[in-house]
């Protein structure tokens, strides 16, 4: 991976101290999304990683909502479909749902019951891995549908929060890491 390309992406992640509450350093990807060259570079880097790691993949599953920003362009580049994993109540038809704990309470995710067939190979994408609760819940949903989860893939990992540990044996990859 080219250091110049990685720097182009890293330079477009903006830190916001004390957001959403005092003591938290928020990593904002809005500047990355606004810069077409940096965003293309991000998708290039993710595509290169997935192609090098997995010869066969069926779907990219993206987490509500920022996984929807990187998942579809990545899926299109790879020539595969995109599957949304949504907040509860946002998907029509039969769904599978799961409740999970957040830092400040509880949340629920859903996926359509026919989103993937048993054995289909899926990479789950999101913008950030913090405590790992949302990503872990998405993994459990896809495992219920008997998908083969190849990897959980994020732009940013907040290493000090140890979210990757919650994923147990599921492979995990982050493009950028912060303490």
């Amino acid at each position: 991976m080219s250091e110049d390309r990685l720097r182009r992406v890293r330079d477009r992640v903006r830190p916001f101290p004390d957001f959403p509450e005092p003591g938290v350093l928020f990593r904002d990807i809005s500047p990355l999304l606004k810069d077409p060259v940096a965003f293309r570079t991000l998708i290039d880097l993710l595509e290169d990683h997935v192609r090098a790691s997995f010869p066969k993949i069926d779907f990219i599953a993206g987490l509500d909502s920022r996984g929807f920003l990187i998942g579809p362009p990545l899926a299109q580049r790879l020539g595969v479909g995109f599957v949304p994993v949504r907040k509860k109540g946002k998907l029509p038809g039969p769904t599978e749902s799961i409740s999970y704990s957040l830092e400040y309470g509880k949340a629920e995710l859903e996926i359509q019951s026919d989103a993937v067939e048993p054995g289909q190979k899926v990479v789950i994408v999101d913008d950030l891995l913090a405590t790992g609760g949302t990503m872990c819940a998405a993994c459990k949903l896809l495992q219920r549908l008997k998908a083969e989860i190849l990897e959980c893939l994020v732009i940013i990992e907040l290493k000090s929060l140890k979210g990757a540990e919650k994923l147990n044996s599921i492979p995990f990859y982050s493009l950028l890491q912060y303490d």
Side-chain angles (χ1 to χ4, degrees):
M1 176 181 320
S2 156
E3 282 302 313
D4 288 340
R5 293 192 308 162
L6 196 56
R7 188 176 316 105
R8 183 177 296 136
V9 172
R10 184 184 307 277
D11 287 350
R12 297 299 181 273
V13 175
R14 177 173 50 183
F16 271 104
D18 299 319
F19 183 83
E21 63 179 40
V24 174
L25 180 61
F26 186 83
R27 302 289 177 170
D28 180 26
I29 64 167
S30 296
L32 178 60
L33 298 172
K34 285 173 42 178
D35 180 334
V37 173
F39 186 71
R40 184 179 319 105
T41 301
L42 167 68
I43 301 301
D44 289 346
L45 289 168
L46 296 175
E47 177 189 10
D48 291 350
H49 167 74
V50 172
R51 284 192 189 282
S53 302
F54 308 107
K56 169 132 176 48
I57 175 176
D58 296 302
F59 292 106
I60 295 291
L63 303 189
D64 199 342
S65 68
R66 285 171 289 212
F68 296 176
L69 301 173
I70 57 174
L74 179 59
Q76 185 178 40
R77 290 268 194 95
L78 296 168
V80 301
F82 175 78
V83 173
V85 178
R86 301 285 323 255
K87 294 174 182 135
K88 185 162 178 64
K90 302 290 185 184
L91 291 170
T95 59
E96 291 287 327
S97 67
I98 188 168
S99 291
Y100 63 101
S101 295
L102 292 169
E103 300 84 69
Y104 317 113
K106 286 200 167 288
E108 263 187 279
L109 286 180
E110 286 186 325
I111 191 168
Q112 288 177 317
S113 300
D114 62 355
V116 300
E117 298 295 321
Q120 286 187 308
K121 299 174 184 322
V122 178
V123 171
I124 305 172
V125 300
D126 203 5
D127 67 323
L128 179 126
L129 184 79
T131 62
T134 305
M135 186 67 79
C136 188
C139 289
K140 288 177 182 173
L141 276 178
L142 283 153
Q143 287 168 334
R144 265 195 222 159
L145 297 180
K146 299 185 176 15
E148 181 183 339
I149 302 170
L150 299 175
E151 184 173 72
C152 297
L153 174 63
V154 299
I155 303 169
I156 298 167
E157 176 187 8
L158 303 179
K159 291 189 78 67
S160 63
L161 298 178
K162 302 180 191 294
E165 292 176 10
K166 282 192 181 161
L167 302 176
N168 299 318
S169 62
I170 296 171
F172 172 74
Y173 181 79
S174 58
L175 203 55
L176 304 173
Q177 300 83 33
Y178 299 93
D179 288 325

